[in-house]
Amino acid sequence: MALFLKPLIIFLHDSWLALLSLLNYGWSSEEAAGVPKRLQASIKTTWGRQLRSSLMVPLFKCLVAFCLIISLLVFIEGVYMNLVVLYVKLFKRKPEKVYKWEPMQEDIELGDESYPMVLVQIPMYNEKEVLRLSIGAACRLTWPLDRLIVQVLDDSTDETIKELVNTECAKWESKGVNIKCERRDNRNGYKAGALKQGMKHNYVKLCNYVAIFDADFQPEADYLQRSVPFLVHNPNVALVQARWRFMNANKCLMTRIQEMSLNYHFMAEQESGSTRHAFFSFNGTAGVWRMAAMEEAGGWNDRTTVEDMDLAVRAGLLGWKFVFLHDLTVKSELPSKFKAFRFQQHRWSCGPANLFRKMIMEIIRNKRVTLWKKLYLIYSFFFLRKILVHFFTFFFYCVVLPTSVFFPEVNIPAWSTFFIPSLITLFIVIATPRSFYLVIFWVLFENVMSMHRTKGTFIGILEGGRVNEWVVTEKLGDALKTKLLPQIGKPRNGCFESINSKEIMMGIYILCCACYGLFSGDTLLYLYLFMQAVAFLVSGVGFVGT
Protein backbone atom coordinates (compact mmCIF):
# COMPACT_ATOMS: atom_id res chain seq x y z
CA MET A 1 0.00 0.00 0.00
CA ALA A 2 2.92 2.32 0.76
CA LEU A 3 4.11 2.02 -2.85
CA PHE A 4 0.81 3.34 -4.15
CA LEU A 5 0.49 6.16 -1.58
CA LYS A 6 4.04 7.48 -1.99
CA PRO A 7 3.42 9.35 -5.32
CA LEU A 8 0.28 10.94 -3.83
CA ILE A 9 2.18 12.13 -0.73
CA ILE A 10 4.91 13.66 -2.90
CA PHE A 11 2.31 15.43 -5.03
CA LEU A 12 0.62 16.92 -1.95
CA HIS A 13 4.02 18.01 -0.59
CA ASP A 14 4.93 19.85 -3.83
CA SER A 15 1.47 21.43 -3.99
CA TRP A 16 1.96 22.73 -0.44
CA LEU A 17 5.28 24.31 -1.49
CA ALA A 18 3.55 25.98 -4.43
CA LEU A 19 0.90 27.40 -2.10
CA LEU A 20 3.59 28.78 0.26
CA SER A 21 5.38 30.48 -2.64
CA LEU A 22 2.17 32.20 -3.66
CA LEU A 23 1.60 33.41 -0.13
CA ASN A 24 5.17 34.76 0.09
CA TYR A 25 5.48 36.35 -3.39
CA GLY A 26 1.87 37.21 -4.21
CA TRP A 27 0.18 36.83 -7.63
CA SER A 28 1.60 39.85 -9.50
CA SER A 29 5.37 39.86 -9.12
CA GLU A 30 7.56 38.49 -11.89
CA GLU A 31 9.40 36.29 -9.44
CA ALA A 32 6.14 34.74 -8.27
CA ALA A 33 5.16 34.12 -11.88
CA GLY A 34 8.29 32.08 -12.43
CA VAL A 35 8.12 30.00 -9.27
CA PRO A 36 4.88 28.18 -10.09
CA LYS A 37 6.21 27.33 -13.56
CA ARG A 38 9.38 25.88 -12.09
CA LEU A 39 7.38 24.06 -9.46
CA GLN A 40 4.90 22.86 -12.09
CA ALA A 41 7.72 21.38 -14.17
CA SER A 42 9.25 19.89 -11.04
CA ILE A 43 5.92 18.43 -9.99
CA LYS A 44 5.40 16.87 -13.42
CA THR A 45 8.90 15.42 -13.52
CA THR A 46 8.80 14.18 -9.93
CA TRP A 47 5.29 12.77 -10.34
CA GLY A 48 6.25 10.91 -13.52
CA ARG A 49 9.41 9.44 -12.03
CA GLN A 50 7.73 8.43 -8.79
CA LEU A 51 4.76 6.94 -10.64
CA ARG A 52 7.12 4.92 -12.84
CA SER A 53 9.48 3.77 -10.11
CA SER A 54 6.87 3.19 -7.41
CA LEU A 55 3.95 1.84 -9.40
CA MET A 56 4.55 0.97 -13.05
CA VAL A 57 7.92 -0.80 -12.74
CA PRO A 58 6.92 -2.95 -9.71
CA LEU A 59 3.63 -3.79 -11.41
CA PHE A 60 5.43 -4.81 -14.60
CA LYS A 61 7.93 -6.87 -12.59
CA CYS A 62 5.04 -8.73 -10.95
CA LEU A 63 3.50 -9.38 -14.36
CA VAL A 64 6.81 -10.71 -15.70
CA ALA A 65 7.28 -12.93 -12.64
CA PHE A 66 3.77 -14.33 -13.09
CA CYS A 67 4.49 -15.13 -16.74
CA LEU A 68 7.79 -16.79 -15.81
CA ILE A 69 6.01 -19.09 -13.37
CA ILE A 70 3.44 -20.06 -16.00
CA SER A 71 6.26 -20.60 -18.50
CA LEU A 72 7.84 -23.13 -16.16
CA LEU A 73 4.50 -24.90 -15.60
CA VAL A 74 3.89 -25.18 -19.34
CA PHE A 75 7.43 -26.42 -19.89
CA ILE A 76 7.18 -29.07 -17.16
CA GLU A 77 3.88 -30.28 -18.60
CA GLY A 78 5.43 -30.53 -22.07
CA VAL A 79 8.44 -32.45 -20.75
CA TYR A 80 6.16 -34.81 -18.83
CA MET A 81 4.01 -35.62 -21.86
CA ASN A 82 7.01 -36.18 -24.10
CA LEU A 83 8.69 -38.44 -21.53
CA VAL A 84 5.55 -40.58 -21.49
CA VAL A 85 5.62 -40.75 -25.30
CA LEU A 86 9.33 -41.63 -25.21
CA TYR A 87 8.56 -44.42 -22.75
CA VAL A 88 5.90 -45.77 -25.11
CA LYS A 89 8.31 -45.74 -28.05
CA LEU A 90 11.32 -47.23 -26.24
CA PHE A 91 9.42 -50.02 -24.53
CA LYS A 92 6.98 -50.50 -27.43
CA ARG A 93 3.95 -50.12 -25.19
CA LYS A 94 1.42 -50.25 -27.99
CA PRO A 95 -2.26 -50.61 -27.09
CA GLU A 96 -2.26 -54.13 -28.56
CA LYS A 97 0.18 -55.14 -25.81
CA VAL A 98 -1.53 -53.27 -22.98
CA TYR A 99 -5.08 -54.36 -23.81
CA LYS A 100 -6.40 -57.63 -25.10
CA TRP A 101 -6.78 -57.56 -28.87
CA GLU A 102 -7.72 -60.35 -31.23
CA PRO A 103 -8.90 -60.00 -34.83
CA MET A 104 -12.58 -60.48 -35.50
CA GLN A 105 -13.30 -63.88 -37.04
CA GLU A 106 -16.46 -65.40 -38.41
CA ASP A 107 -17.82 -68.21 -36.28
CA ILE A 108 -18.57 -71.43 -38.13
CA GLU A 109 -21.89 -71.95 -36.37
CA LEU A 110 -23.02 -68.38 -35.80
CA GLY A 111 -21.67 -66.94 -39.04
CA ASP A 112 -21.82 -63.15 -39.17
CA GLU A 113 -23.72 -63.03 -35.89
CA SER A 114 -20.39 -63.40 -34.08
CA TYR A 115 -19.72 -59.80 -35.14
CA PRO A 116 -21.27 -57.10 -32.94
CA MET A 117 -23.76 -54.65 -34.43
CA VAL A 118 -22.08 -51.35 -35.27
CA LEU A 119 -23.78 -48.03 -36.00
CA VAL A 120 -21.86 -45.48 -38.08
CA GLN A 121 -23.08 -41.91 -37.66
CA ILE A 122 -22.24 -39.13 -40.13
CA PRO A 123 -23.54 -35.72 -38.98
CA MET A 124 -23.55 -33.09 -41.74
CA TYR A 125 -24.87 -29.65 -42.56
CA ASN A 126 -24.86 -28.40 -46.16
CA GLU A 127 -21.70 -30.41 -46.91
CA LYS A 128 -22.03 -30.49 -50.69
CA GLU A 129 -18.27 -30.74 -51.36
CA VAL A 130 -17.62 -33.77 -49.17
CA LEU A 131 -20.89 -35.63 -48.68
CA ARG A 132 -20.06 -38.29 -51.28
CA LEU A 133 -16.63 -38.81 -49.78
CA SER A 134 -17.84 -39.41 -46.23
CA ILE A 135 -20.88 -41.52 -47.11
CA GLY A 136 -18.87 -43.59 -49.58
CA ALA A 137 -16.03 -44.21 -47.12
CA ALA A 138 -18.47 -45.32 -44.38
CA CYS A 139 -20.29 -47.67 -46.71
CA ARG A 140 -17.01 -49.28 -47.84
CA LEU A 141 -16.03 -50.32 -44.31
CA THR A 142 -15.09 -53.98 -44.10
CA TRP A 143 -17.81 -55.40 -41.88
CA PRO A 144 -20.68 -57.83 -42.46
CA LEU A 145 -23.47 -55.86 -44.14
CA ASP A 146 -26.12 -57.35 -41.85
CA ARG A 147 -24.12 -56.19 -38.79
CA LEU A 148 -23.62 -52.60 -39.94
CA ILE A 149 -25.98 -49.62 -40.04
CA VAL A 150 -24.88 -46.34 -41.61
CA GLN A 151 -26.84 -43.37 -40.32
CA VAL A 152 -26.58 -40.04 -42.15
CA LEU A 153 -27.74 -37.21 -39.88
CA ASP A 154 -28.51 -34.50 -42.39
CA ASP A 155 -29.32 -31.05 -40.99
CA SER A 156 -28.93 -29.40 -44.38
CA THR A 157 -31.18 -26.47 -45.19
CA ASP A 158 -30.36 -26.36 -48.90
CA GLU A 159 -32.91 -28.41 -50.87
CA THR A 160 -30.40 -29.17 -53.61
CA ILE A 161 -27.94 -30.63 -51.10
CA LYS A 162 -30.73 -32.63 -49.47
CA GLU A 163 -31.46 -34.20 -52.82
CA LEU A 164 -27.78 -35.01 -53.33
CA VAL A 165 -27.71 -36.75 -49.94
CA ASN A 166 -30.83 -38.73 -50.83
CA THR A 167 -29.31 -39.78 -54.14
CA GLU A 168 -26.06 -40.91 -52.51
CA CYS A 169 -27.89 -42.87 -49.83
CA ALA A 170 -30.11 -44.54 -52.41
CA LYS A 171 -27.05 -45.53 -54.45
CA TRP A 172 -25.46 -47.37 -51.53
CA GLU A 173 -28.75 -48.85 -50.39
CA SER A 174 -29.11 -50.44 -53.83
CA LYS A 175 -25.73 -52.10 -53.21
CA GLY A 176 -27.00 -53.81 -50.07
CA VAL A 177 -25.80 -51.34 -47.43
CA ASN A 178 -28.21 -50.73 -44.55
CA ILE A 179 -28.14 -46.93 -44.72
CA LYS A 180 -30.57 -44.48 -43.12
CA CYS A 181 -30.93 -40.77 -43.77
CA GLU A 182 -32.42 -38.98 -40.77
CA ARG A 183 -33.47 -35.33 -40.69
CA ARG A 184 -34.82 -32.91 -38.08
CA ASP A 185 -37.14 -29.95 -38.46
CA ASN A 186 -34.72 -27.75 -36.47
CA ARG A 187 -31.02 -27.45 -35.61
CA ASN A 188 -31.36 -27.28 -31.84
CA GLY A 189 -28.12 -28.31 -30.17
CA TYR A 190 -26.29 -28.31 -33.52
CA LYS A 191 -24.11 -31.44 -33.84
CA ALA A 192 -24.88 -32.69 -30.33
CA GLY A 193 -28.59 -32.29 -31.00
CA ALA A 194 -28.36 -34.24 -34.24
CA LEU A 195 -26.38 -37.08 -32.63
CA LYS A 196 -28.76 -37.20 -29.68
CA GLN A 197 -31.79 -37.35 -31.96
CA GLY A 198 -30.14 -40.04 -34.05
CA MET A 199 -29.77 -42.29 -31.01
CA LYS A 200 -33.55 -42.30 -30.41
CA HIS A 201 -34.46 -44.47 -33.40
CA ASN A 202 -35.52 -48.03 -32.65
CA TYR A 203 -32.93 -49.71 -34.87
CA VAL A 204 -30.14 -48.04 -32.88
CA LYS A 205 -31.06 -50.19 -29.86
CA LEU A 206 -29.82 -53.22 -31.79
CA CYS A 207 -26.27 -51.83 -31.92
CA ASN A 208 -23.44 -52.44 -29.46
CA TYR A 209 -21.05 -49.76 -30.68
CA VAL A 210 -21.25 -46.47 -32.56
CA ALA A 211 -18.55 -45.00 -34.79
CA ILE A 212 -18.72 -41.29 -35.54
CA PHE A 213 -17.22 -39.51 -38.54
CA ASP A 214 -17.60 -35.86 -39.45
CA ALA A 215 -18.55 -35.08 -43.04
CA ASP A 216 -14.95 -34.49 -44.15
CA PHE A 217 -13.56 -37.71 -42.62
CA GLN A 218 -12.86 -40.82 -44.67
CA PRO A 219 -11.96 -43.96 -42.71
CA GLU A 220 -9.98 -46.74 -44.34
CA ALA A 221 -11.86 -49.96 -45.09
CA ASP A 222 -10.23 -51.82 -42.17
CA TYR A 223 -11.07 -49.15 -39.57
CA LEU A 224 -13.67 -51.22 -37.71
CA GLN A 225 -11.58 -54.38 -37.97
CA ARG A 226 -8.73 -52.67 -36.13
CA SER A 227 -10.68 -50.65 -33.55
CA VAL A 228 -13.74 -52.64 -32.49
CA PRO A 229 -11.77 -55.64 -31.07
CA PHE A 230 -10.49 -53.38 -28.27
CA LEU A 231 -14.10 -52.82 -27.20
CA VAL A 232 -15.15 -56.46 -27.68
CA HIS A 233 -12.33 -57.96 -25.60
CA ASN A 234 -11.99 -55.23 -22.94
CA PRO A 235 -15.34 -54.56 -21.20
CA ASN A 236 -13.91 -51.59 -19.25
CA VAL A 237 -12.97 -49.69 -22.44
CA ALA A 238 -15.52 -47.11 -23.59
CA LEU A 239 -13.78 -45.32 -26.46
CA VAL A 240 -11.24 -46.10 -29.16
CA GLN A 241 -9.88 -42.98 -30.86
CA ALA A 242 -7.96 -42.92 -34.14
CA ARG A 243 -5.46 -40.28 -35.26
CA TRP A 244 -6.33 -37.73 -37.92
CA ARG A 245 -4.37 -37.66 -41.18
CA PHE A 246 -4.66 -34.49 -43.26
CA MET A 247 -5.16 -34.83 -46.99
CA ASN A 248 -4.85 -31.12 -47.77
CA ALA A 249 -1.91 -30.29 -45.49
CA ASN A 250 0.09 -29.04 -48.48
CA LYS A 251 -2.66 -26.69 -49.61
CA CYS A 252 -1.02 -23.58 -48.13
CA LEU A 253 1.28 -22.42 -45.33
CA MET A 254 -1.62 -22.15 -42.90
CA THR A 255 -2.59 -25.81 -43.37
CA ARG A 256 1.03 -26.87 -42.89
CA ILE A 257 1.11 -24.99 -39.58
CA GLN A 258 -2.17 -26.58 -38.51
CA GLU A 259 -0.75 -29.99 -39.33
CA MET A 260 2.21 -29.33 -37.00
CA SER A 261 -0.04 -28.32 -34.10
CA LEU A 262 -2.52 -31.16 -34.48
CA ASN A 263 0.16 -33.81 -34.99
CA TYR A 264 1.68 -32.72 -31.68
CA HIS A 265 -1.75 -32.81 -30.03
CA PHE A 266 -2.19 -36.44 -31.04
CA MET A 267 1.41 -37.48 -30.39
CA ALA A 268 1.76 -35.86 -26.97
CA GLU A 269 -1.60 -35.05 -25.40
CA GLN A 270 -3.68 -37.96 -26.66
CA GLU A 271 -1.01 -40.65 -26.45
CA SER A 272 0.27 -39.58 -23.02
CA GLY A 273 -3.29 -39.36 -21.69
CA SER A 274 -4.14 -42.79 -23.06
CA THR A 275 -0.95 -44.35 -21.65
CA ARG A 276 -0.79 -42.70 -18.23
CA HIS A 277 -4.43 -42.13 -17.30
CA ALA A 278 -6.48 -44.16 -19.85
CA PHE A 279 -8.25 -40.83 -20.42
CA PHE A 280 -8.15 -38.10 -23.05
CA SER A 281 -10.65 -35.90 -24.83
CA PHE A 282 -12.72 -37.48 -27.57
CA ASN A 283 -11.94 -35.58 -30.76
CA GLY A 284 -15.57 -35.61 -31.87
CA THR A 285 -14.88 -37.83 -34.88
CA ALA A 286 -12.86 -40.88 -35.96
CA GLY A 287 -13.76 -42.68 -32.73
CA VAL A 288 -15.83 -45.71 -31.71
CA TRP A 289 -17.91 -45.62 -28.53
CA ARG A 290 -19.42 -48.41 -26.46
CA MET A 291 -23.15 -47.67 -26.39
CA ALA A 292 -23.51 -48.81 -22.78
CA ALA A 293 -20.84 -46.32 -21.66
CA MET A 294 -22.54 -43.48 -23.51
CA GLU A 295 -25.88 -44.31 -21.91
CA GLU A 296 -24.38 -44.54 -18.43
CA ALA A 297 -22.68 -41.15 -18.91
CA GLY A 298 -25.98 -39.55 -19.92
CA GLY A 299 -25.54 -39.42 -23.69
CA TRP A 300 -25.00 -36.29 -25.74
CA ASN A 301 -25.40 -32.92 -24.07
CA ASP A 302 -25.59 -29.61 -25.97
CA ARG A 303 -24.81 -27.30 -23.02
CA THR A 304 -21.48 -26.34 -24.64
CA THR A 305 -19.99 -26.35 -28.14
CA VAL A 306 -17.63 -29.21 -27.19
CA GLU A 307 -20.15 -32.01 -26.79
CA ASP A 308 -17.40 -34.52 -27.53
CA MET A 309 -15.23 -33.40 -24.61
CA ASP A 310 -18.30 -33.16 -22.38
CA LEU A 311 -19.21 -36.79 -23.03
CA ALA A 312 -15.61 -37.94 -22.58
CA VAL A 313 -15.21 -36.22 -19.20
CA ARG A 314 -18.52 -37.60 -17.91
CA ALA A 315 -17.60 -41.12 -19.03
CA GLY A 316 -14.10 -40.76 -17.58
CA LEU A 317 -15.54 -39.76 -14.20
CA LEU A 318 -17.47 -43.04 -14.18
CA GLY A 319 -14.22 -45.00 -14.46
CA TRP A 320 -14.38 -45.96 -18.14
CA LYS A 321 -11.07 -46.26 -20.00
CA PHE A 322 -10.12 -44.77 -23.35
CA VAL A 323 -7.65 -46.13 -25.91
CA PHE A 324 -5.80 -44.00 -28.46
CA LEU A 325 -4.48 -45.75 -31.57
CA HIS A 326 -1.63 -43.75 -33.08
CA ASP A 327 -1.16 -46.21 -35.94
CA LEU A 328 -4.81 -46.10 -37.00
CA THR A 329 -5.42 -42.99 -39.10
CA VAL A 330 -8.46 -41.43 -40.72
CA LYS A 331 -8.20 -39.03 -43.64
CA SER A 332 -9.61 -35.58 -42.99
CA GLU A 333 -9.50 -32.00 -44.21
CA LEU A 334 -8.03 -28.89 -42.59
CA PRO A 335 -9.71 -25.48 -42.96
CA SER A 336 -7.74 -23.62 -45.61
CA LYS A 337 -9.53 -20.29 -45.22
CA PHE A 338 -8.43 -17.97 -42.41
CA LYS A 339 -11.98 -16.97 -41.51
CA ALA A 340 -13.06 -20.61 -41.17
CA PHE A 341 -9.98 -21.38 -39.09
CA ARG A 342 -10.68 -18.46 -36.73
CA PHE A 343 -14.26 -19.64 -36.14
CA GLN A 344 -13.00 -23.16 -35.49
CA GLN A 345 -10.39 -21.97 -32.99
CA HIS A 346 -12.97 -19.83 -31.21
CA ARG A 347 -15.13 -22.90 -30.70
CA TRP A 348 -12.19 -25.06 -29.63
CA SER A 349 -11.04 -22.53 -27.01
CA CYS A 350 -14.40 -21.18 -25.81
CA GLY A 351 -16.05 -24.59 -25.40
CA PRO A 352 -13.48 -26.22 -23.07
CA ALA A 353 -13.31 -23.12 -20.85
CA ASN A 354 -17.10 -23.07 -20.56
CA LEU A 355 -17.19 -26.80 -19.87
CA PHE A 356 -14.60 -26.36 -17.12
CA ARG A 357 -16.81 -23.72 -15.51
CA LYS A 358 -19.79 -26.08 -15.63
CA MET A 359 -18.03 -29.28 -14.51
CA ILE A 360 -15.39 -28.29 -11.96
CA MET A 361 -17.64 -28.94 -8.96
CA GLU A 362 -18.86 -32.20 -10.48
CA ILE A 363 -15.24 -33.33 -10.82
CA ILE A 364 -14.41 -32.32 -7.23
CA ARG A 365 -17.45 -34.12 -5.77
CA ASN A 366 -16.94 -37.28 -7.84
CA LYS A 367 -16.20 -40.42 -5.81
CA ARG A 368 -15.76 -42.93 -8.64
CA VAL A 369 -12.20 -41.95 -9.61
CA THR A 370 -8.97 -41.43 -7.67
CA LEU A 371 -7.76 -38.10 -6.32
CA TRP A 372 -4.83 -38.29 -8.75
CA LYS A 373 -7.20 -38.46 -11.72
CA LYS A 374 -9.24 -35.54 -10.36
CA LEU A 375 -6.07 -33.45 -10.08
CA TYR A 376 -5.11 -34.47 -13.59
CA LEU A 377 -8.50 -33.42 -14.96
CA ILE A 378 -8.67 -30.09 -13.12
CA TYR A 379 -5.06 -28.94 -13.33
CA SER A 380 -3.44 -30.58 -16.34
CA PHE A 381 -6.32 -31.39 -18.69
CA PHE A 382 -8.46 -28.29 -18.17
CA PHE A 383 -6.71 -25.45 -16.33
CA LEU A 384 -3.22 -25.66 -17.83
CA ARG A 385 -3.83 -26.93 -21.38
CA LYS A 386 -7.24 -25.48 -22.13
CA ILE A 387 -7.10 -22.13 -20.29
CA LEU A 388 -3.77 -20.98 -18.91
CA VAL A 389 -1.65 -21.76 -21.97
CA HIS A 390 -3.77 -19.47 -24.18
CA PHE A 391 -3.51 -16.53 -21.77
CA PHE A 392 0.21 -17.08 -21.31
CA THR A 393 1.04 -17.31 -25.01
CA PHE A 394 -0.79 -14.13 -25.87
CA PHE A 395 0.07 -11.95 -22.87
CA PHE A 396 3.72 -12.95 -22.57
CA TYR A 397 4.80 -13.11 -26.22
CA CYS A 398 2.46 -10.47 -27.65
CA VAL A 399 2.02 -8.00 -24.77
CA VAL A 400 4.67 -8.34 -22.06
CA LEU A 401 7.70 -8.89 -24.30
CA PRO A 402 6.86 -5.98 -26.65
CA THR A 403 6.10 -3.69 -23.69
CA SER A 404 9.39 -4.61 -22.01
CA VAL A 405 11.27 -2.26 -24.38
CA PHE A 406 9.82 0.62 -22.33
CA PHE A 407 11.13 -0.90 -19.09
CA PRO A 408 14.86 -1.56 -19.58
CA GLU A 409 15.29 -1.79 -15.81
CA VAL A 410 13.15 -4.95 -15.76
CA ASN A 411 15.22 -7.99 -16.61
CA ILE A 412 13.49 -10.86 -18.43
CA PRO A 413 15.80 -13.90 -18.27
CA ALA A 414 16.96 -15.49 -21.50
CA TRP A 415 15.75 -18.93 -20.44
CA SER A 416 12.15 -17.70 -20.61
CA THR A 417 12.44 -15.94 -23.96
CA PHE A 418 14.71 -18.35 -25.80
CA PHE A 419 15.67 -21.65 -24.17
CA ILE A 420 12.29 -22.84 -22.90
CA PRO A 421 10.37 -21.69 -26.03
CA SER A 422 13.02 -23.39 -28.18
CA LEU A 423 12.65 -26.70 -26.34
CA ILE A 424 8.85 -26.56 -26.46
CA THR A 425 9.02 -25.80 -30.18
CA LEU A 426 11.42 -28.70 -30.65
CA PHE A 427 8.91 -31.04 -29.00
CA ILE A 428 6.26 -29.89 -31.47
CA VAL A 429 8.52 -30.18 -34.51
CA ILE A 430 9.35 -33.80 -33.62
CA ALA A 431 5.73 -34.70 -34.39
CA THR A 432 6.09 -33.34 -37.96
CA PRO A 433 9.77 -33.60 -38.97
CA ARG A 434 9.12 -32.63 -42.59
CA SER A 435 8.02 -29.15 -41.46
CA PHE A 436 11.12 -28.35 -39.41
CA TYR A 437 12.05 -25.46 -41.71
CA LEU A 438 8.65 -23.85 -41.04
CA VAL A 439 9.20 -23.57 -37.31
CA ILE A 440 9.59 -19.75 -37.33
CA PHE A 441 6.32 -19.35 -39.23
CA TRP A 442 4.65 -21.74 -36.80
CA VAL A 443 5.75 -19.71 -33.77
CA LEU A 444 4.63 -16.39 -35.25
CA PHE A 445 1.26 -17.67 -36.49
CA GLU A 446 0.51 -19.49 -33.21
CA ASN A 447 1.11 -16.21 -31.37
CA VAL A 448 -1.36 -14.50 -33.70
CA MET A 449 -3.98 -17.19 -33.11
CA SER A 450 -3.40 -17.04 -29.35
CA MET A 451 -5.21 -13.70 -29.39
CA HIS A 452 -8.40 -15.35 -30.68
CA ARG A 453 -7.98 -18.32 -28.34
CA THR A 454 -7.56 -16.00 -25.36
CA LYS A 455 -10.68 -14.10 -26.35
CA GLY A 456 -12.60 -17.36 -26.76
CA THR A 457 -11.37 -18.60 -23.38
CA PHE A 458 -12.53 -15.39 -21.70
CA ILE A 459 -15.95 -15.73 -23.30
CA GLY A 460 -16.18 -19.36 -22.21
CA ILE A 461 -15.24 -18.70 -18.60
CA LEU A 462 -17.49 -15.66 -18.28
CA GLU A 463 -20.26 -17.16 -20.48
CA GLY A 464 -20.26 -14.17 -22.81
CA GLY A 465 -22.50 -13.53 -25.77
CA ARG A 466 -20.73 -15.87 -28.21
CA VAL A 467 -20.31 -18.74 -25.76
CA ASN A 468 -22.63 -21.07 -27.71
CA GLU A 469 -21.78 -19.79 -31.17
CA TRP A 470 -21.43 -22.64 -33.64
CA VAL A 471 -20.21 -21.89 -37.15
CA VAL A 472 -19.72 -25.04 -39.23
CA THR A 473 -16.14 -25.21 -40.48
CA GLU A 474 -16.23 -24.77 -44.23
CA LYS A 475 -15.08 -27.80 -46.20
CA LEU A 476 -13.76 -27.42 -49.72
CA GLY A 477 -13.25 -31.05 -50.65
CA ASP A 478 -9.50 -30.42 -50.86
CA ALA A 479 -8.83 -34.12 -50.51
CA LEU A 480 -9.96 -34.50 -54.11
CA LYS A 481 -7.87 -33.49 -57.08
CA THR A 482 -11.03 -32.25 -58.75
CA LYS A 483 -14.12 -30.80 -57.18
CA LEU A 484 -17.15 -33.01 -56.82
CA LEU A 485 -19.34 -30.01 -57.43
CA PRO A 486 -18.58 -26.64 -58.98
CA GLN A 487 -18.19 -23.87 -56.44
CA ILE A 488 -20.16 -20.75 -57.00
CA GLY A 489 -18.12 -17.77 -55.91
CA LYS A 490 -19.82 -15.17 -53.77
CA PRO A 491 -19.13 -11.55 -54.65
CA ARG A 492 -17.12 -9.59 -52.10
CA ASN A 493 -18.92 -6.89 -50.18
CA GLY A 494 -16.03 -4.49 -50.52
CA CYS A 495 -12.29 -4.10 -50.48
CA PHE A 496 -12.24 -4.08 -46.67
CA GLU A 497 -14.08 -7.38 -46.29
CA SER A 498 -10.93 -9.31 -45.41
CA ILE A 499 -9.52 -6.68 -43.02
CA ASN A 500 -9.22 -7.97 -39.44
CA SER A 501 -9.02 -4.95 -37.15
CA LYS A 502 -7.79 -6.77 -34.04
CA GLU A 503 -4.75 -8.17 -35.84
CA ILE A 504 -4.05 -4.77 -37.38
CA MET A 505 -4.11 -3.00 -34.01
CA MET A 506 -1.86 -5.60 -32.38
CA GLY A 507 0.50 -5.43 -35.34
CA ILE A 508 0.78 -1.65 -35.13
CA TYR A 509 1.43 -1.75 -31.37
CA ILE A 510 4.15 -4.41 -31.66
CA LEU A 511 5.66 -2.52 -34.62
CA CYS A 512 5.88 0.65 -32.49
CA CYS A 513 7.54 -1.35 -29.72
CA ALA A 514 9.98 -2.82 -32.24
CA CYS A 515 10.93 0.63 -33.56
CA TYR A 516 11.40 1.95 -30.03
CA GLY A 517 13.54 -1.06 -29.17
CA LEU A 518 15.63 -0.60 -32.32
CA PHE A 519 16.53 3.03 -31.55
CA SER A 520 16.82 2.89 -27.76
CA GLY A 521 17.33 -0.72 -26.70
CA ASP A 522 20.50 -2.70 -26.22
CA THR A 523 19.09 -6.16 -27.00
CA LEU A 524 18.08 -7.95 -30.19
CA LEU A 525 14.47 -8.29 -29.03
CA TYR A 526 13.38 -5.89 -31.76
CA LEU A 527 14.19 -8.54 -34.42
CA TYR A 528 11.53 -10.84 -32.98
CA LEU A 529 9.13 -7.93 -32.54
CA PHE A 530 9.46 -6.88 -36.17
CA MET A 531 8.68 -10.43 -37.34
CA GLN A 532 5.74 -10.75 -34.97
CA ALA A 533 4.37 -7.39 -36.06
CA VAL A 534 4.56 -8.48 -39.70
CA ALA A 535 2.73 -11.72 -38.82
CA PHE A 536 -0.12 -9.76 -37.19
CA LEU A 537 -0.32 -7.26 -40.05
CA VAL A 538 -0.29 -9.97 -42.73
CA SER A 539 -3.08 -11.78 -40.89
CA GLY A 540 -4.87 -8.47 -40.44
CA VAL A 541 -5.12 -7.82 -44.16
CA GLY A 542 -6.33 -11.38 -44.76
CA PHE A 543 -3.25 -12.55 -46.62
CA VAL A 544 -3.39 -15.94 -44.90
CA GLY A 545 -4.75 -19.25 -46.18
CA THR A 546 -6.39 -19.69 -49.56
Side-chain angles (χ1 to χ4, degrees), residues 411-460:
N411 177 48
I412 301 180
W415 59 261
S416 67
T417 59
F418 180 76
F419 295 110
I420 283 184
S422 297
L423 287 174
I424 293 176
T425 304
L426 181 62
F427 294 154
I428 292 166
V429 169
I430 291 173
T432 316
R434 76 185 188 101
S435 298
F436 179 80
Y437 66 98
L438 298 175
V439 65
I440 299 298
F441 297 101
W442 179 86
V443 170
L444 298 175
F445 187 68
E446 280 294 297
N447 289 344
V448 172
M449 292 309 302
S450 69
M451 178 178 67
H452 298 286
R453 293 172 185 141
T454 300
K455 178 184 175 184
T457 304
F458 264 122
I459 292 174

Side-chain angles (χ1 to χ4, degrees), residues 21-58:
S21 69
L22 290 175
L23 293 174
N24 291 329
Y25 295 105
W27 293 94
S28 57
S29 67
E30 294 181 0
E31 187 175 0
V35 171
K37 291 181 181 179
R38 291 194 301 272
L39 283 173
Q40 184 181 12
S42 176
I43 290 170
K44 287 182 178 179
T45 304
T46 305
W47 171 261
R49 288 176 180 174
Q50 290 298 326
L51 183 64
R52 177 183 176 86
S53 62
S54 302
L55 178 62
M56 296 177 68
V57 171

